[in-house]
Amino acid sequence: MKNILITGGAGFIGSHVVRLFVNKYPNYNIINLDALTYAGNLKNLKDIEERSNYTFIKGDICDTEQIRSIFLKYDIDAVIHLAAESHVDRSIKDPFSFAKTNVLGTLNLLQAAKEYWSNNIKDKLFYHISTDEVYGSLTDTGLFTEQTAYDPHSPYSASKASSDHFVRAFKDTYKLPAIISNCSNNYGAYQFPEKLIPLFINNICNNKPLPVYGTGENVRDWLYVEDHASAIDVIFHKGEIGETYNVGGFNEWKNIDLIKVLIKTVDRFLERKEGTSEHLISYIEDRAGHDYRYAIDASKLKNELGWSPSLQFEEGIEKTVQWYLENKEWVEEITTGKYQDYYKDMYANKNPI
Ligand code: NAD
Ligand code: TYD
């Protein structure tokens, strides 16, 4: 039996990772630790919440005593660390909360793992989930490899870069068994509707303006979230201790071209005439420090661990648009704030720590 602590499991990517592990590995105990910030939503895990190999704990990765007691009580063998503040625009407005959660929270987890595993590090693993944004911004050519020097620009990417450095420092200084993966932009079901794809799908449905930052020429490399979860599964089980793996689908899109695909797809699903919603495009002031281009070289992951994405982008976008249209209530509960009551009804009196 393996006891795996997944942090941030009530968020977008974390909920897909939790679901995958709970379903695929009935012999693992999955402990999901999440602070339920604005980005955490237990409805994301409604289908697996009663499973016997799953425990939810509401808690903050910055809380040293709570983290220590979780390691002890659940005899944690491995950590998959996803909890973070994750939105660049919020980091521009409030860099401190990013430094606190992403840097100090990660450090707190590392320290607890180091202490708890100090007598026996055999088969232990601290797996840190990070972003390609730590590498900075590319011009029109080239790809980020695992050797690309760190050059973060936003407070978000600076905080993630710092957390990556702390993970490597613990690996080098204390021999903590650690792996890092750096992934490109994710999309899919359960993404908080502040990020480009879910925000724009929702706005197209509701005939609201689509705020395109700057010229819309910026490039992002998109990966379907379930493919990221499958990469995390592969890296967790087959990755080499001490290594870093870049995760991506070789799928670059200029924002404006992607937005046009979204408009076309949503309009078709809603049986509107092609091009109906194009007038919603609204160019606005650019994001401060807006990185021009991200693009990941994921060939190490493919060549060494045999992982490749399963979905073509067109199929992923179809599935994603369909999911948001069929789950309007999920979005509405977020826009009204109602989603945050779910914890009180479901878990408040049975928090297991
Ligand atoms: P998210 O914002 O959807 O979810 C983050 C989760 O962490 C939420 O459930 C939130 O409640 C929880 N959390 C925040 N602060 C916490 C704290 N102090 N203690 C405990 N829990 C806390 O984020 P996401 O998009 O799912 O990203 C997950 C991870 O993957 C992050 O580390 C992010 O940097 C990384 N990542 C994201 C992307 C992407 O495109 N979204 C790409 C690459 C890497
Ligand atoms: P986002 O989803 O915030 O991810 P990230 O900033 O981490 O890449 O944004 C994706 C791209 O879309 C990015 O270039 C910024 C741009 N964008 C807009 O043009 N308008 C918006 O309202 C948002 C949220 C993003």
Side-chain angles (χ1 to χ4, degrees):
M1 180 64 86
K2 259 199 154 117
N3 301 318
I4 304 175
L5 175 64
I6 300 185
T7 69
F12 166 48
I13 302 170
S15 63
H16 289 276
V17 175
V18 167
R19 178 175 298 101
L20 177 69
F21 274 65
V22 165
N23 285 330
K24 191 170 170 186
Y25 302 107
N27 58 328
Y28 290 175
N29 277 323
I30 302 300
I31 296 104
N32 172 13
L33 172 74
D34 197 296
L36 299 182
T37 67
Y38 81 93
N41 185 350
L42 287 174
K43 286 262 174 100
N44 298 2
L45 292 165
K46 208 169 168 2
D47 54 326
I48 57 109
E49 69 192 358
E50 302 286 1
R51 300 287 285 277
S52 59
N53 63 338
Y54 172 70
T55 306
F56 173 72
I57 300 171
K58 184 175 191 288
D60 189 332
I61 56 167
C62 299
D63 182 337
T64 305
E65 280 320 307
Q66 189 178 24
I67 301 298
R68 276 199 187 127
S69 58
I70 290 170
F71 269 82
L72 192 64
K73 177 165 180 191
Y74 293 95
D75 188 22
I76 298 300
D77 297 301
V79 178
I80 305 179
H81 175 36
L82 296 111
E85 289 294 339
S86 68
H87 190 43
V88 173
D89 292 325
R90 286 182 190 253
S91 82
I92 294 168
K93 291 196 187 97
D94 174 21
F96 285 92
S97 59
F98 283 68
K100 183 164 180 277
T101 293
N102 299 359
V103 185
L104 296 179
T106 301
L107 180 54
N108 198 37
L109 279 171
L110 287 164
Q111 184 70 14
K114 173 192 159 235
E115 280 170 15
Y116 190 66
W117 298 337
S118 60
N119 293 326
N120 179 15
I121 55 160
K122 194 173 166 317
D123 297 330
K124 305 292 189 273
L125 177 63
F126 191 102
Y127 178 13
H128 178 61
I129 308 301
S130 192
T131 166
D132 61 353
E133 302 191 24
V134 298
Y135 298 123
S137 182
L138 293 162
T139 56
D140 283 317
T141 55
L143 299 172
F144 295 134
T145 72
E146 289 82 359
Q147 278 71 48
T148 303
Y150 276 32
D151 183 22
H153 299 135
S154 73
Y156 165 65
S157 54
S159 68
K160 291 296 289 186
S162 174
S163 66
D164 292 8
H165 289 318
F166 268 110
V167 175
R168 292 200 178 94
F170 270 62
K171 166 182 77 69
D172 294 338
T173 310
Y174 310 111
K175 309 290 172 242
L176 188 83
I179 293 180
I180 299 176
S181 60
N182 298 82
C183 188
S184 61
N185 285 62
N186 284 213
Y187 71 99
Y190 302 113
Q191 188 167 30
F192 198 86
E194 64 184 351
K195 305 270 169 55
L196 179 75
I197 289 184
L199 175 72
F200 278 35
I201 293 174
N202 195 37
N203 285 9
I204 298 165
C205 288
N206 295 309
N207 289 308
K208 286 187 177 164
L210 306 174
V212 181
Y213 298 157
T215 60
E217 294 293 304
N218 302 65
V219 175
R220 294 293 181 265
D221 186 355
W222 293 94
L223 182 68
Y224 190 59
V225 64
E226 289 181 27
D227 278 325
H228 188 192
S230 84
I232 289 173
D233 179 18
V234 168
I235 294 166
F236 180 81
H237 288 98
K238 299 208 284 185
E240 202 168 313
I241 302 291
E243 288 294 310
T244 292
Y245 298 92
N246 279 354
V247 186
F250 295 99
N251 179 42
E252 293 178 49
W253 284 81
K254 275 187 184 169
N255 289 344
I256 192 63
D257 294 338
L258 168 63
I259 290 161
K260 286 182 180 163
V261 171
L262 290 176
I263 291 172
K264 211 171 158 181
T265 312
V266 176
D267 278 349
R268 180 165 45 77
F269 269 100
L270 296 179
E271 297 179 0
R272 293 173 178 164
K273 212 170 124 231
E274 191 172 331
T276 303
S277 302
E278 293 230 357
H279 72 282
L280 297 174
I281 292 175
S282 163
Y283 291 94
I284 63 164
E285 191 185 339
D286 208 356
R287 173 189 274 172
H290 196 175
D291 285 335
Y292 172 59
R293 175 173 167 257
Y294 303 144
I296 274 273
D297 179 351
S299 48
K300 175 177 172 183
L301 182 55
K302 184 173 196 291
N303 297 338
E304 294 185 12
L305 306 185
W307 175 89
S308 335
S310 67
L311 228 60
Q312 293 294 315
F313 187 62
E314 289 68 21
E315 202 186 332
I317 284 293
E318 289 275 323
K319 279 173 83 126
T320 303
V321 168
Q322 189 173 1
W323 188 88
Y324 281 94
L325 293 178
E326 286 172 357
N327 291 276
K328 283 193 175 140
E329 199 186 308
W330 181 89
V331 179
E332 269 165 34
E333 287 197 358
I334 288 175
T335 47
T336 57
K338 198 169 159 242
Y339 71 111
Q340 288 176 322
D341 296 340
Y342 191 61
Y343 170 75
K344 291 179 202 124
D345 299 339
M346 196 54 208
Y347 288 93
N349 297 323
K350 54 174 184 178
N351 209 10
I353 194 100

